Amino acid sequence: PVPGPIPSPWQQQDVGSVGVPGNATYADSEFTVTGSGVDIWNVADSFHFVYQPLLGNAVMTAKVEGLYGSGDGWPLAGVMIRQDLTGGSKEALSALTTGYGMSGDARITANTSTVYQQGALYYGSAWVRVTRTNNVFTAFQSADGTNWQAYFTNTINMSGTVYAGLAFTSHSNSLLGTATFSHV
């Protein structure tokens, strides 16, 4: 199928300072997200985000079919819930990296360093999930989309409208990379 625009009500934008603008397309029930960005880490993120506004509790699930980036092992693709669309926003993420398996991180307080938890050593593709139950956020991982394992839980005070969606960073501000998501 020829890739087309992402379907409504999905939206997209670069978050934080990126060197090369990103984009997302949709075809055959898959999202392809292209982007640059230094990382989703430390005090300010830079990545491409495909998202929907969200109120209340939620489960965000996707299968990362594949991802390609800078070649250093840290390009990552996953599902995220964040308070706002600024680089230093509070956030919770469950992601697959190209070289280090699953990566869960959270920014509990805006504009401060993230906390990190290594997950399983999946490579190539994996299922990712983030849940929100009030202010408790849990990152899950799965090899098959049926058997899930929680690997990171944090309490993050988020209020009002938040944003849930697909996050991708190439781990290079000067190079585009690509991630493909299915079963969103």
Side-chain angles (χ1 to χ4, degrees):
V2 175
I6 59 174
S8 180
W10 292 97
Q11 301 172 55
Q12 64 173 310
Q13 76 173 61
D14 290 316
V15 173
S17 178
V18 298
V20 184
N23 188 44
T25 59
Y26 185 79
D28 200 26
S29 301
E30 291 186 347
F31 289 85
T32 299
V33 182
T34 302
S36 64
V38 174
D39 208 349
I40 300 172
W41 178 246
N42 212 343
V43 299
D45 306 325
S46 64
F47 66 101
H48 197 72
F49 195 36
V50 177
Y51 64 91
Q52 293 185 31
L54 168 71
L55 280 170
N57 296 332
V59 176
M60 182 69 206
T61 303
K63 182 180 182 188
V64 178
E65 295 285 355
L67 67 149
Y68 309 94
S70 67
D72 70 357
W74 283 110
L76 60 85
V79 292
M80 169 185 283
I81 299 173
R82 57 191 299 118
Q83 177 68 66
D84 59 50
L85 299 172
T86 65
S89 174
K90 299 175 190 178
E91 56 91 356
L93 169 74
S94 178
L96 178 66
T97 67
T98 57
Y100 299 100
M102 296 298 296
S103 173
D105 77 48
R107 185 173 295 108
I108 297 167
T109 303
N111 302 308
T112 62
S113 289
T114 52
V115 292
Y116 165 78
Q117 178 64 51
Q118 175 72 46
L121 296 178
Y122 299 139
Y123 299 102
S125 70
W127 292 76
V128 291
R129 176 177 285 168
V130 171
T131 63
R132 178 187 188 183
T133 306
N134 301 316
N135 285 319
V136 177
F137 294 80
T138 304
F140 290 86
Q141 60 193 2
S142 176
D144 59 12
T146 300
N147 300 296
W148 291 90
Q149 177 187 15
Y151 71 103
F152 198 35
T153 299
N154 289 278
T155 299
I156 308 170
N157 292 320
M158 291 192 198
S159 61
T161 299
V162 299
Y163 301 90
L166 309 171
F168 173 72
T169 177
S170 70
H171 207 249
S172 169
N173 231 12
S174 61
L175 296 173
L176 288 172
T178 302
T180 304
F181 298 89
S182 67
H183 298 85
V184 176

